[in-house]
Amino acid sequence: MKFAFSTLGVPGLPVSDVLRLAVAHGYHGVEVRAHPEEPVHPGLSPDERTAVAAEFKAAGVEILGIAGYARVAAPGDDEPVLDEIRGLVGLARDLGAPFVRVFPGGSEEQPDADADAVAARRLGTAAEHAADLGVRILVETHDSHRTGADVIRIIGPVGHRQVGALWDVMHTWLGGEQPQDTYAALSPFLGYVQVKDIVSAEDTTPLALGDGVLPLAESVEVLTRNGWDGWLCWEYEKRWYEAAEPLEGLLDAGRAHLGRLLNDSA
């Protein structure tokens, strides 16, 4: 497995400094948070996109994915959601990223079946565009569809190779799903896995990997036992928890912890 970290952990940091951290601390890739407050977002010009891609290539660091905020199950018209996804997919293509992250984003007022159908319809349409550009859209286990069992209700009916799943270990745990059950649900569709650690179910303040309550060892063991060899991406939610420790000082220990989990599971 290869290791990455998300720029959610270093909010607003220039690309050159993100790459310096990745190289210095032994991470193979970076998940790029695509938001207007960040250096990389869909509003970049073609020349700016070319420059970002060149920086990553020169540093020998991969862009694992573009972490967008499109909500595929959200109530309302399809076209604004599809436009947002197309923008993210285009950015991923221009930067050489294989994946785009989207959220389920269903509303509490929606019946589950309606939210599932809306999301599947939109993803089916977006998948054709993504296929043309060689990018895969991943629905994260998050918000209205927190578990693997939830997400499979969306992506299963789509039935398109360009639509898959992103396993966030915190949300599946908060949803009461065991790692082996998440993997069983998502394995045919799994793009990559977001790892993290938190204080408790009631306090999701981010911690160094291994210092909290999340089942990281169990999750890595399930992946290893099944021969999965994709990306583990540390999503340290510094952007939402300003008082959390800076990620830079945790990156070495985090990579070492993931390495130990892989060795132990092997």
Side-chain angles (χ1 to χ4, degrees), residues 51-69:
V52 170
E55 279 195 82
F56 272 86
K57 184 176 182 179
V61 176
E62 296 182 53
I63 302 179
L64 164 60
I66 302 300
Y69 289 88

Side-chain angles (χ1 to χ4, degrees), residues 88-109:
L88 293 166
V89 168
L91 178 63
R93 186 273 311 274
D94 292 344
L95 298 184
F99 302 119
V100 160
R101 186 279 306 278
V102 299
F103 284 149
S107 166
E108 292 182 0
E109 288 72 39

